[in-house]
PDB file of all heavy atoms in Angstrom:
ATOM      1  N   VAL U   1      27.380  67.315 -23.494  1.00 98.00           N
ATOM      2  CA  VAL U   1      28.628  68.049 -23.859  1.00 98.00           C
ATOM      3  C   VAL U   1      29.570  67.072 -24.468  1.00 98.00           C
ATOM      4  O   VAL U   1      30.324  67.363 -25.408  1.00 98.00           O
ATOM      5  CB  VAL U   1      29.168  68.705 -22.662  1.00 98.00           C
ATOM      6  CG1 VAL U   1      30.745  69.030 -22.823  1.00 98.00           C
ATOM      7  CG2 VAL U   1      28.427  69.879 -22.300  1.00 98.00           C
ATOM      8  N   ASN U   2      29.637  65.829 -23.976  1.00 97.00           N
ATOM      9  CA  ASN U   2      30.480  64.742 -24.506  1.00 97.00           C
ATOM     10  C   ASN U   2      30.151  64.468 -25.901  1.00 97.00           C
ATOM     11  O   ASN U   2      31.020  64.267 -26.774  1.00 97.00           O
ATOM     12  CB  ASN U   2      30.463  63.537 -23.563  1.00 97.00           C
ATOM     13  CG  ASN U   2      31.502  62.528 -23.961  1.00 97.00           C
ATOM     14  OD1 ASN U   2      32.705  62.639 -23.697  1.00 97.00           O
ATOM     15  ND2 ASN U   2      31.016  61.373 -24.523  1.00 97.00           N
ATOM     16  N   GLU U   3      28.809  64.322 -26.145  1.00 98.00           N
ATOM     17  CA  GLU U   3      28.456  64.108 -27.506  1.00 98.00           C
ATOM     18  C   GLU U   3      28.741  65.118 -28.495  1.00 98.00           C
ATOM     19  O   GLU U   3      29.176  64.854 -29.604  1.00 98.00           O
ATOM     20  CB  GLU U   3      26.901  63.833 -27.497  1.00 98.00           C
ATOM     21  CG  GLU U   3      26.383  62.454 -26.951  1.00 98.00           C
ATOM     22  CD  GLU U   3      26.953  61.281 -27.731  1.00 98.00           C
ATOM     23  OE1 GLU U   3      26.751  61.310 -28.935  1.00 98.00           O
ATOM     24  OE2 GLU U   3      27.551  60.348 -27.143  1.00 98.00           O
ATOM     25  N   ALA U   4      28.638  66.404 -28.032  1.00 98.00           N
ATOM     26  CA  ALA U   4      29.066  67.535 -28.867  1.00 98.00           C
ATOM     27  C   ALA U   4      30.535  67.474 -29.168  1.00 98.00           C
ATOM     28  O   ALA U   4      30.971  67.785 -30.313  1.00 98.00           O
ATOM     29  CB  ALA U   4      28.681  68.872 -28.140  1.00 98.00           C
ATOM     30  N   LEU U   5      31.337  67.163 -28.116  1.00 98.00           N
ATOM     31  CA  LEU U   5      32.818  67.098 -28.319  1.00 98.00           C
ATOM     32  C   LEU U   5      33.182  65.969 -29.286  1.00 98.00           C
ATOM     33  O   LEU U   5      34.010  66.296 -30.203  1.00 98.00           O
ATOM     34  CB  LEU U   5      33.494  66.817 -27.040  1.00 98.00           C
ATOM     35  CG  LEU U   5      34.972  66.905 -27.017  1.00 98.00           C
ATOM     36  CD1 LEU U   5      35.430  68.231 -27.422  1.00 98.00           C
ATOM     37  CD2 LEU U   5      35.534  66.582 -25.626  1.00 98.00           C
ATOM     38  N   LEU U   6      32.366  64.876 -29.141  1.00 98.00           N
ATOM     39  CA  LEU U   6      32.673  63.820 -30.242  1.00 98.00           C
ATOM     40  C   LEU U   6      32.340  64.253 -31.665  1.00 98.00           C
ATOM     41  O   LEU U   6      33.063  63.975 -32.566  1.00 98.00           O
ATOM     42  CB  LEU U   6      31.867  62.535 -29.848  1.00 98.00           C
ATOM     43  CG  LEU U   6      32.357  61.590 -28.758  1.00 98.00           C
ATOM     44  CD1 LEU U   6      31.260  60.620 -28.318  1.00 98.00           C
ATOM     45  CD2 LEU U   6      33.498  60.777 -29.363  1.00 98.00           C
ATOM     46  N   THR U   7      31.259  64.937 -31.765  1.00 98.00           N
ATOM     47  CA  THR U   7      30.861  65.507 -33.120  1.00 98.00           C
ATOM     48  C   THR U   7      31.884  66.473 -33.599  1.00 98.00           C
ATOM     49  O   THR U   7      32.225  66.457 -34.832  1.00 98.00           O
ATOM     50  CB  THR U   7      29.485  66.213 -33.005  1.00 98.00           C
ATOM     51  OG1 THR U   7      28.528  65.241 -32.503  1.00 98.00           O
ATOM     52  CG2 THR U   7      29.017  66.712 -34.395  1.00 98.00           C
ATOM     53  N   VAL U   8      32.376  67.304 -32.777  1.00 98.00           N
ATOM     54  CA  VAL U   8      33.407  68.369 -33.183  1.00 98.00           C
ATOM     55  C   VAL U   8      34.712  67.550 -33.686  1.00 98.00           C
ATOM     56  O   VAL U   8      35.169  67.902 -34.772  1.00 98.00           O
ATOM     57  CB  VAL U   8      33.810  69.197 -31.925  1.00 98.00           C
ATOM     58  CG1 VAL U   8      35.109  69.981 -32.309  1.00 98.00           C
ATOM     59  CG2 VAL U   8      32.657  70.184 -31.668  1.00 98.00           C
ATOM     60  N   VAL U   9      35.153  66.578 -32.936  1.00 98.00           N
ATOM     61  CA  VAL U   9      36.361  65.797 -33.286  1.00 98.00           C
ATOM     62  C   VAL U   9      36.023  65.023 -34.596  1.00 98.00           C
ATOM     63  O   VAL U   9      36.915  64.992 -35.434  1.00 98.00           O
ATOM     64  CB  VAL U   9      36.713  64.908 -32.199  1.00 98.00           C
ATOM     65  CG1 VAL U   9      37.907  63.978 -32.576  1.00 98.00           C
ATOM     66  CG2 VAL U   9      37.206  65.682 -30.958  1.00 98.00           C
ATOM     67  N   GLU U  10      34.894  64.380 -34.703  1.00 98.00           N
ATOM     68  CA  GLU U  10      34.561  63.623 -35.894  1.00 98.00           C
ATOM     69  C   GLU U  10      34.504  64.424 -37.122  1.00 98.00           C
ATOM     70  O   GLU U  10      35.066  64.130 -38.149  1.00 98.00           O
ATOM     71  CB  GLU U  10      33.146  62.937 -35.619  1.00 98.00           C
ATOM     72  CG  GLU U  10      32.779  61.998 -36.546  1.00 98.00           C
ATOM     73  CD  GLU U  10      31.455  61.278 -36.254  1.00 98.00           C
ATOM     74  OE1 GLU U  10      30.844  61.564 -35.160  1.00 98.00           O
ATOM     75  OE2 GLU U  10      30.893  60.536 -37.105  1.00 98.00           O
ATOM     76  N   LYS U  11      33.804  65.617 -37.113  1.00 97.00           N
ATOM     77  CA  LYS U  11      33.642  66.390 -38.330  1.00 97.00           C
ATOM     78  C   LYS U  11      34.852  67.232 -38.668  1.00 97.00           C
ATOM     79  O   LYS U  11      35.325  67.306 -39.731  1.00 97.00           O
ATOM     80  CB  LYS U  11      32.358  67.309 -38.191  1.00 97.00           C
ATOM     81  CG  LYS U  11      31.114  66.411 -38.118  1.00 97.00           C
ATOM     82  CD  LYS U  11      29.847  67.364 -38.173  1.00 97.00           C
ATOM     83  CE  LYS U  11      28.655  66.492 -38.224  1.00 97.00           C
ATOM     84  NZ  LYS U  11      27.368  67.274 -38.222  1.00 97.00           N
ATOM     85  N   GLN U  12      35.431  67.944 -37.605  1.00 98.00           N
ATOM     86  CA  GLN U  12      36.544  68.836 -37.909  1.00 98.00           C
ATOM     87  C   GLN U  12      37.889  68.011 -38.154  1.00 98.00           C
ATOM     88  O   GLN U  12      38.731  68.512 -38.771  1.00 98.00           O
ATOM     89  CB  GLN U  12      36.756  69.779 -36.713  1.00 98.00           C
ATOM     90  CG  GLN U  12      35.547  70.695 -36.517  1.00 98.00           C
ATOM     91  CD  GLN U  12      35.283  71.539 -37.794  1.00 98.00           C
ATOM     92  OE1 GLN U  12      36.115  72.104 -38.332  1.00 98.00           O
ATOM     93  NE2 GLN U  12      34.021  71.652 -38.057  1.00 98.00           N
ATOM     94  N   GLY U  13      37.906  66.779 -37.576  1.00 98.00           N
ATOM     95  CA  GLY U  13      39.151  66.047 -37.748  1.00 98.00           C
ATOM     96  C   GLY U  13      39.030  65.059 -38.754  1.00 98.00           C
ATOM     97  O   GLY U  13      39.991  64.311 -39.128  1.00 98.00           O
ATOM     98  N   GLY U  14      37.818  65.021 -39.476  1.00 97.00           N
ATOM     99  CA  GLY U  14      37.599  64.027 -40.599  1.00 97.00           C
ATOM    100  C   GLY U  14      37.750  62.606 -40.112  1.00 97.00           C
ATOM    101  O   GLY U  14      38.386  61.750 -40.845  1.00 97.00           O
ATOM    102  N   LYS U  15      37.219  62.264 -38.938  1.00 98.00           N
ATOM    103  CA  LYS U  15      37.372  60.994 -38.387  1.00 98.00           C
ATOM    104  C   LYS U  15      36.011  60.172 -38.273  1.00 98.00           C
ATOM    105  O   LYS U  15      35.026  60.781 -38.396  1.00 98.00           O
ATOM    106  CB  LYS U  15      37.872  61.115 -36.962  1.00 98.00           C
ATOM    107  CG  LYS U  15      39.172  61.843 -36.789  1.00 98.00           C
ATOM    108  CD  LYS U  15      39.642  61.909 -35.312  1.00 98.00           C
ATOM    109  CE  LYS U  15      40.882  62.787 -35.219  1.00 98.00           C
ATOM    110  NZ  LYS U  15      42.068  62.221 -35.703  1.00 98.00           N
ATOM    111  N   SER U  16      36.197  58.942 -38.375  1.00 98.00           N
ATOM    112  CA  SER U  16      35.038  57.998 -38.022  1.00 98.00           C
ATOM    113  C   SER U  16      34.487  58.233 -36.681  1.00 98.00           C
ATOM    114  O   SER U  16      35.321  58.732 -35.711  1.00 98.00           O
ATOM    115  CB  SER U  16      35.303  56.556 -38.355  1.00 98.00           C
ATOM    116  OG  SER U  16      36.300  56.171 -37.407  1.00 98.00           O
ATOM    117  N   ARG U  17      33.358  57.709 -36.354  1.00 97.00           N
ATOM    118  CA  ARG U  17      32.900  57.799 -34.978  1.00 97.00           C
ATOM    119  C   ARG U  17      33.754  57.072 -34.057  1.00 97.00           C
ATOM    120  O   ARG U  17      34.158  57.478 -32.955  1.00 97.00           O
ATOM    121  CB  ARG U  17      31.466  57.187 -34.934  1.00 97.00           C
ATOM    122  CG  ARG U  17      30.903  56.970 -33.509  1.00 97.00           C
ATOM    123  CD  ARG U  17      30.463  58.378 -32.892  1.00 97.00           C
ATOM    124  NE  ARG U  17      29.900  58.174 -31.543  1.00 97.00           N
ATOM    125  CZ  ARG U  17      29.150  59.121 -30.956  1.00 97.00           C
ATOM    126  NH1 ARG U  17      28.891  60.308 -31.430  1.00 97.00           N
ATOM    127  NH2 ARG U  17      28.711  58.925 -29.667  1.00 97.00           N
ATOM    128  N   GLU U  18      34.220  55.897 -34.515  1.00 97.00           N
ATOM    129  CA  GLU U  18      35.118  55.041 -33.690  1.00 97.00           C
ATOM    130  C   GLU U  18      36.449  55.787 -33.427  1.00 97.00           C
ATOM    131  O   GLU U  18      37.006  55.760 -32.312  1.00 97.00           O
ATOM    132  CB  GLU U  18      35.429  53.739 -34.343  1.00 97.00           C
ATOM    133  CG  GLU U  18      36.240  52.734 -33.536  1.00 97.00           C
ATOM    134  CD  GLU U  18      36.405  51.416 -34.204  1.00 97.00           C
ATOM    135  OE1 GLU U  18      35.855  51.205 -35.340  1.00 97.00           O
ATOM    136  OE2 GLU U  18      37.119  50.513 -33.678  1.00 97.00           O
ATOM    137  N   ALA U  19      36.958  56.413 -34.471  1.00 98.00           N
ATOM    138  CA  ALA U  19      38.283  57.131 -34.329  1.00 98.00           C
ATOM    139  C   ALA U  19      38.111  58.429 -33.381  1.00 98.00           C
ATOM    140  O   ALA U  19      39.045  58.681 -32.632  1.00 98.00           O
ATOM    141  CB  ALA U  19      38.814  57.565 -35.662  1.00 98.00           C
ATOM    142  N   ALA U  20      36.972  59.042 -33.492  1.00 98.00           N
ATOM    143  CA  ALA U  20      36.590  60.166 -32.642  1.00 98.00           C
ATOM    144  C   ALA U  20      36.639  59.696 -31.128  1.00 98.00           C
ATOM    145  O   ALA U  20      37.119  60.377 -30.234  1.00 98.00           O
ATOM    146  CB  ALA U  20      35.439  60.880 -33.018  1.00 98.00           C
ATOM    147  N   GLU U  21      35.996  58.587 -30.928  1.00 96.00           N
ATOM    148  CA  GLU U  21      35.960  58.079 -29.530  1.00 96.00           C
ATOM    149  C   GLU U  21      37.282  57.722 -29.067  1.00 96.00           C
ATOM    150  O   GLU U  21      37.609  57.953 -27.820  1.00 96.00           O
ATOM    151  CB  GLU U  21      34.925  56.821 -29.535  1.00 96.00           C
ATOM    152  CG  GLU U  21      33.564  57.156 -29.722  1.00 96.00           C
ATOM    153  CD  GLU U  21      32.691  55.881 -29.779  1.00 96.00           C
ATOM    154  OE1 GLU U  21      33.295  54.840 -29.981  1.00 96.00           O
ATOM    155  OE2 GLU U  21      31.483  55.973 -29.723  1.00 96.00           O
ATOM    156  N   SER U  22      38.202  57.187 -29.966  1.00 96.00           N
ATOM    157  CA  SER U  22      39.568  56.786 -29.518  1.00 96.00           C
ATOM    158  C   SER U  22      40.291  58.127 -29.238  1.00 96.00           C
ATOM    159  O   SER U  22      41.090  58.211 -28.313  1.00 96.00           O
ATOM    160  CB  SER U  22      40.207  56.120 -30.635  1.00 96.00           C
ATOM    161  OG  SER U  22      41.467  55.850 -30.355  1.00 96.00           O
ATOM    162  N   TYR U  23      40.107  59.149 -29.979  1.00 97.00           N
ATOM    163  CA  TYR U  23      40.710  60.449 -29.777  1.00 97.00           C
ATOM    164  C   TYR U  23      40.353  61.041 -28.352  1.00 97.00           C
ATOM    165  O   TYR U  23      41.183  61.440 -27.657  1.00 97.00           O
ATOM    166  CB  TYR U  23      40.263  61.524 -30.843  1.00 97.00           C
ATOM    167  CG  TYR U  23      40.844  62.892 -30.780  1.00 97.00           C
ATOM    168  CD1 TYR U  23      41.896  63.177 -31.632  1.00 97.00           C
ATOM    169  CD2 TYR U  23      40.352  63.841 -29.969  1.00 97.00           C
ATOM    170  CE1 TYR U  23      42.426  64.478 -31.655  1.00 97.00           C
ATOM    171  CE2 TYR U  23      40.851  65.100 -30.016  1.00 97.00           C
ATOM    172  CZ  TYR U  23      41.894  65.409 -30.803  1.00 97.00           C
ATOM    173  OH  TYR U  23      42.426  66.691 -30.830  1.00 97.00           O
ATOM    174  N   ILE U  24      39.093  60.983 -28.046  1.00 97.00           N
ATOM    175  CA  ILE U  24      38.545  61.398 -26.781  1.00 97.00           C
ATOM    176  C   ILE U  24      39.121  60.536 -25.616  1.00 97.00           C
ATOM    177  O   ILE U  24      39.549  61.111 -24.608  1.00 97.00           O
ATOM    178  CB  ILE U  24      37.018  61.376 -26.648  1.00 97.00           C
ATOM    179  CG1 ILE U  24      36.379  62.331 -27.709  1.00 97.00           C
ATOM    180  CG2 ILE U  24      36.497  61.681 -25.343  1.00 97.00           C
ATOM    181  CD1 ILE U  24      36.749  63.774 -27.511  1.00 97.00           C
ATOM    182  N   GLU U  25      39.266  59.266 -25.811  1.00 93.00           N
ATOM    183  CA  GLU U  25      39.867  58.417 -24.804  1.00 93.00           C
ATOM    184  C   GLU U  25      41.296  58.774 -24.548  1.00 93.00           C
ATOM    185  O   GLU U  25      41.751  58.729 -23.429  1.00 93.00           O
ATOM    186  CB  GLU U  25      39.612  56.972 -25.283  1.00 93.00           C
ATOM    187  CG  GLU U  25      39.867  55.930 -24.154  1.00 93.00           C
ATOM    188  CD  GLU U  25      38.983  56.241 -23.013  1.00 93.00           C
ATOM    189  OE1 GLU U  25      37.785  56.329 -23.178  1.00 93.00           O
ATOM    190  OE2 GLU U  25      39.482  56.076 -21.807  1.00 93.00           O
ATOM    191  N   ASP U  26      41.963  59.070 -25.646  1.00 95.00           N
ATOM    192  CA  ASP U  26      43.343  59.455 -25.557  1.00 95.00           C
ATOM    193  C   ASP U  26      43.501  60.836 -24.718  1.00 95.00           C
ATOM    194  O   ASP U  26      44.450  60.930 -23.899  1.00 95.00           O
ATOM    195  CB  ASP U  26      44.037  59.662 -26.857  1.00 95.00           C
ATOM    196  CG  ASP U  26      44.258  58.284 -27.562  1.00 95.00           C
ATOM    197  OD1 ASP U  26      44.264  57.264 -26.895  1.00 95.00           O
ATOM    198  OD2 ASP U  26      44.433  58.287 -28.801  1.00 95.00           O
ATOM    199  N   LEU U  27      42.537  61.716 -24.889  1.00 96.00           N
ATOM    200  CA  LEU U  27      42.531  62.934 -24.078  1.00 96.00           C
ATOM    201  C   LEU U  27      42.432  62.641 -22.626  1.00 96.00           C
ATOM    202  O   LEU U  27      43.080  63.217 -21.741  1.00 96.00           O
ATOM    203  CB  LEU U  27      41.428  63.824 -24.565  1.00 96.00           C
ATOM    204  CG  LEU U  27      41.448  64.464 -25.910  1.00 96.00           C
ATOM    205  CD1 LEU U  27      40.230  65.476 -26.113  1.00 96.00           C
ATOM    206  CD2 LEU U  27      42.680  65.371 -26.007  1.00 96.00           C
TER     207      LEU U  27
END
C-alpha cells in the first residue's frame, strides 16, 4: 500500500521518486 501511495504521488503529482518520498514523509 505504501508503494502504491508513492506511485500515486509520483505520477499524479509529477514528482521524482525522491520528491514523492519527501511528500509522504511530510504527511
Side-chain angles (χ1 to χ4, degrees):
V1 166
N2 188 72
E3 284 298 310
L5 186 61
L6 276 168
T7 300
V8 167
V9 172
E10 189 176 355
K11 292 187 176 179
Q12 297 302 316
K15 302 178 186 296
S16 66
R17 173 75 179 195
E18 185 178 357
E21 289 175 346
S22 179
Y23 183 98
I24 297 299
E25 195 57 45
D26 287 343
L27 290 180

